[in-house]
Amino acid sequence: MWFQITLALVLLLVVLLYVYLAYRYRYWLRHGVAYVKPSPIVGNLGPLLRMKSSSAHMTQAIYNYPEAEDRPFVGIYLFHRPALLLRDPELIKRILSKDFSKFSNRSLNADCFGDPLGSLNLFFLKNPYWKEVRSKLTPFFTSWKLKQMFPLVQKVGLNLNEYLLKMPLNGENSFQLELKELCALYTTDVIATVAFGIQANSFKYPNGEFRRNGREIFRFSTRRALNFSVIFFLPYLVPYLGIKVVSPKEAEFLRSTMTRVLEEREKSGIKRHDLIDILIDFKNQTKTQPRQDGLRFEGDLLVAQAAIFFTAGFESTSTTMSLALYELAKHPQMQERLRKEICDTLNESRGEISQQIIESLEYMQMIIDETLRLYPPLAFLDRECSLPEGQSYSLEPFHSFSIPAGMPVYTPVYALHMDPKYFPQPHEFQPERFSPERKKLITPYTYMPFGLGPHACIGERFTMLQAKIGLLNFLRNHRVTLGEKSIKSIIIDAKSLILQPEGGIHLNVVRDPLKY
């Protein structure tokens, strides 16, 4: 008897679930919008959740869906939830820039109570707090600040050069290295000294606490990959599932380290004009000007900003640098042209390296721009319609559909970068696309490795400076070639929502000093 009742209830629940999903999955059909056919339960996220596809390739497949060809956008389902993926550059411009105030928040979420370092940092904060925190952090990236940072970054660059010169050589005057980790040692030291006034000494201590914890933060296991899928695509479930952007162990390291640095700087009264000074100013303003909304620039809110600068500051740049070196190893003529540009520049400056010299390296800029086209750090940009509940955003004249408040909207960065309509022969590494003459011809809002609009990456200029100094100091005495362990083409790690090469980047490094 009880078994029959239980079975009947289970069947009833299954039927109700089927009816509910059938209704939900007809949402785009009811609104006359082209859409990608969903799978039961998971919607269009199946390849990502099964880790058969990276977020880059999943969004690219949706972007290239045959029925969406020549459409300004395509409907998708995040589990049972309708969302939009944009395809038209003009519509993307409206969402990211022109009508930014109506799409000012990211759709992702973190647990504000259980994961303060994840939820309170600039990447996850929502308006109006995001706008205020960003405005206070922006001065850290002014031209004057970058000029002050330059000697600190260049010193780490010289440490990179010295580290390479000390490497033992084999009979072919070369040695083998995994470049992703090497570049991460460099960028970790740069962020530590520039932002926090700490000498991490990662070249001397590659397993020191800064590098060790940074490595763990970006190690994507199967479980962590699934957690981030929830953070990006089912954000309202994050608090209930106890998911954390920053794991407890790494959160404790970041909290204890940043708190200690803040306290020591306050006690000493020394001004280094770095991120720590800016955060202390935040804290002092809160004391003198109490806020009515309860937001206080102290404790975890300060630590969270330091944490996101640490994590975002070293990972994206180290990946870009190592991928650029990989492409140069595959294209030796391009590598020689770049090394010649570096040699000629150093000859003119008599070996001195200045910010002006770094910024004058035109071909190096083209190399980095093309690397970021092929391998953008984030495969997509997420936004949500930030209008008040009950209101909607009209997509006229593109379509009669109006985006309701709270609906997620995605811009497929990687897919746009790989669209032959905008970048012919997109799989080929062609730095000439970004020559001063041709760069002007690129369709606006089809190239966005750092995002575009008010939500664009705040540290873009610093990232470029850091990458150029690192590449110059690498290539001034060495060049790279493919070796036995080198892969034929980059495989994007399907477990990581942030673009990462699977298995690292192994190259031969040849001792070959430039003559200047």
Side-chain angles (χ1 to χ4, degrees):
M1 179 67 177
W2 287 110
F3 173 75
Q4 292 175 330
I5 293 174
T6 302
L7 181 61
L9 288 173
V10 170
L11 289 174
L12 178 60
L13 287 174
V14 170
V15 171
L16 289 175
L17 178 62
Y18 174 81
V19 171
Y20 173 75
L21 290 178
Y23 176 78
R24 294 291 293 181
Y25 288 158
R26 292 176 65 84
Y27 178 88
W28 290 122
L29 186 64
R30 290 195 300 273
H31 287 87
V33 173
Y35 67 98
V36 181
K37 185 178 179 181
S39 299
I41 308 296
V42 297
N44 299 120
L45 297 178
L48 186 70
L49 297 175
R50 294 193 301 270
M51 294 176 202
K52 298 294 184 182
S53 176
S54 67
S55 60
H57 292 133
M58 182 193 75
T59 51
Q60 183 184 31
I62 294 171
Y63 177 87
N64 291 326
Y65 192 64
E67 292 184 21
E69 187 177 3
D70 298 326
R71 304 291 181 93
F73 53 84
V74 58
I76 58 175
Y77 294 95
L78 312 177
F79 295 92
H80 65 284
R81 189 183 185 194
L84 280 179
L85 185 130
L86 307 180
R87 300 186 74 260
D88 186 277
E90 282 299 317
L91 180 55
I92 292 170
K93 179 180 180 180
R94 270 176 53 173
I95 301 297
L96 296 183
S97 296
K98 184 179 177 182
D99 291 331
F100 170 78
S101 62
K102 298 170 184 175
F103 295 89
S104 58
N105 290 330
R106 301 185 189 276
S107 62
L108 47 69
N109 188 33
D111 183 1
C112 60
F113 297 107
D115 185 19
L117 297 193
S119 62
L120 293 175
N121 68 65
L122 187 61
F123 190 82
F124 279 80
L125 271 176
K126 311 264 186 195
N127 259 340
Y129 301 139
W130 167 83
K131 183 177 181 180
E132 184 167 357
V133 172
R134 180 169 175 122
S135 69
K136 291 180 180 297
L137 291 174
T138 297
F140 184 61
F141 297 101
T142 61
S143 299
W144 181 70
K145 287 287 186 183
L146 289 177
K147 186 176 181 180
Q148 287 186 312
M149 294 178 198
F150 180 85
L152 297 173
V153 183
Q154 171 58 6
K155 184 177 180 180
V156 180
L158 293 174
N159 291 342
L160 168 62
N161 178 51
E162 183 180 347
Y163 177 82
L164 293 171
L165 289 172
K166 289 180 178 179
M167 293 292 291
L169 304 175
N170 60 27
E172 297 179 349
N173 204 41
S174 66
F175 52 93
Q176 293 189 1
L177 273 181
E178 197 288 291
L179 272 294
K180 176 65 172 64
E181 178 63 20
L182 173 75
C183 293
L185 297 178
Y186 161 73
T187 56
T188 297
D189 278 7
V190 169
I191 293 298
T193 185
V194 167
F196 313 123
I198 296 175
Q199 301 303 314
N201 296 318
S202 297
F203 292 113
K204 188 175 181 180
Y205 306 108
N207 288 311
E209 61 175 3
F210 259 83
R211 180 65 200 122
R212 186 175 67 252
N213 282 278
R215 193 183 294 125
E216 286 302 315
I217 289 171
F218 286 95
R219 193 188 302 278
F220 280 86
S221 62
T222 299
R223 180 178 178 179
R224 187 160 168 77
L226 290 173
N227 285 347
F228 266 77
S229 294
V230 174
I231 287 169
F232 275 87
F233 302 117
L234 276 177
Y236 54 88
L237 289 182
V238 169
Y240 304 103
L241 297 177
I243 292 172
K244 293 176 172 55
V245 177
V246 183
S247 67
K249 183 180 178 181
E250 278 67 56
E252 181 54 35
F253 159 72
L254 292 168
R255 186 177 286 110
S256 61
T257 301
M258 303 313 169
T259 300
R260 184 180 72 248
V261 172
L262 284 162
E263 289 176 350
E264 290 176 354
R265 187 70 62 81
E266 283 186 291
K267 288 179 181 177
S268 69
I270 297 173
K271 290 284 186 180
R272 291 186 78 250
H273 304 288
D274 58 9
L275 179 64
I276 297 300
D277 282 350
I278 289 178
L279 295 179
I280 290 173
D281 288 342
F282 289 0
K283 185 177 179 180
N284 292 336
Q285 287 175 17
T286 298
K287 290 179 180 178
T288 58
Q289 302 172 15
R291 298 172 57 96
Q292 299 297 318
D293 59 11
L295 184 70
R296 298 179 63 84
F297 289 104
E298 60 185 18
D300 278 343
L301 181 61
L302 297 185
V303 175
Q305 310 321 313
I308 194 66
F309 272 74
F310 168 61
T311 53
F314 81 82
E315 177 64 19
S316 59
T317 309
S318 63
T319 300
T320 299
M321 286 176 59
S322 57
L323 288 168
L325 290 167
Y326 170 78
E327 291 295 339
L328 290 173
K330 287 178 64 177
H331 301 88
Q333 291 182 336
M334 295 179 187
Q335 184 174 184
E336 290 312 306
R337 178 179 169 182
L338 176 57
R339 297 188 81 226
K340 183 179 185 303
E341 179 183 61
I342 293 171
C343 185
D344 291 345
T345 303
L346 292 177
N347 272 321
E348 292 176 8
S349 66
R350 299 181 181 180
E352 293 293 322
I353 299 175
S354 64
Q355 185 176 351
Q356 184 178 4
I357 287 171
I358 291 294
E359 292 175 348
S360 72
L361 296 170
E362 184 178 284
Y363 192 61
M364 182 181 285
Q365 182 68 57
M366 291 161 57
I367 292 287
I368 295 173
D369 285 343
E370 176 68 347
T371 301
L372 288 167
R373 184 194 66 81
L374 276 174
Y375 314 106
L378 286 175
F380 61 88
L381 305 177
D382 63 302
R383 300 289 185 269
E384 69 176 11
C385 185
S386 308
L387 292 170
E389 189 67 31
Q391 295 187 23
S392 60
Y393 177 83
S394 173
L395 289 176
E396 295 283 0
F398 297 97
H399 197 279
S400 59
F401 178 71
S402 292
I403 303 175
M407 175 172 281
V409 179
Y410 296 91
T411 299
V413 176
Y414 178 81
L416 287 162
H417 287 191
M418 301 301 288
D419 189 336
K421 180 165 58 175
Y422 306 120
F423 299 97
Q425 299 174 306
H427 294 280
E428 294 188 10
F429 187 74
Q430 298 180 6
E432 291 299 329
R433 303 178 202 271
F434 295 93
S435 66
E437 301 78 21
R438 292 179 62 183
K439 195 172 185 178
K440 299 174 184 176
L441 302 177
I442 294 175
T443 302
Y445 287 81
T446 60
Y447 179 72
M448 54 189 87
F450 295 99
L452 289 171
H455 245 308
C457 176
I458 193 174
E460 177 179 353
R461 293 175 63 196
F462 172 74
T463 296
M464 284 294 184
L465 179 68
Q466 183 181 204
K468 288 179 183 178
I469 292 174
L471 289 173
L472 181 146
N473 281 287
F474 187 105
L475 294 169
R476 67 193 301 184
N477 286 306
H478 300 85
R479 55 185 171 85
V480 287
T481 62
L482 298 177
E484 293 181 2
K485 293 185 177 180
S486 302
I487 54 178
K488 293 183 179 180
S489 59
I490 293 296
I491 300 173
I492 300 174
D493 188 351
K495 293 191 298 295
S496 175
L497 281 173
I498 300 169
L499 192 145
Q500 291 181 338
E502 188 176 274
I505 298 175
H506 299 267
L507 296 175
N508 285 334
V509 182
V510 182
R511 183 75 45 80
D512 185 12
L514 296 173
K515 296 176 175 59
Y516 53 88

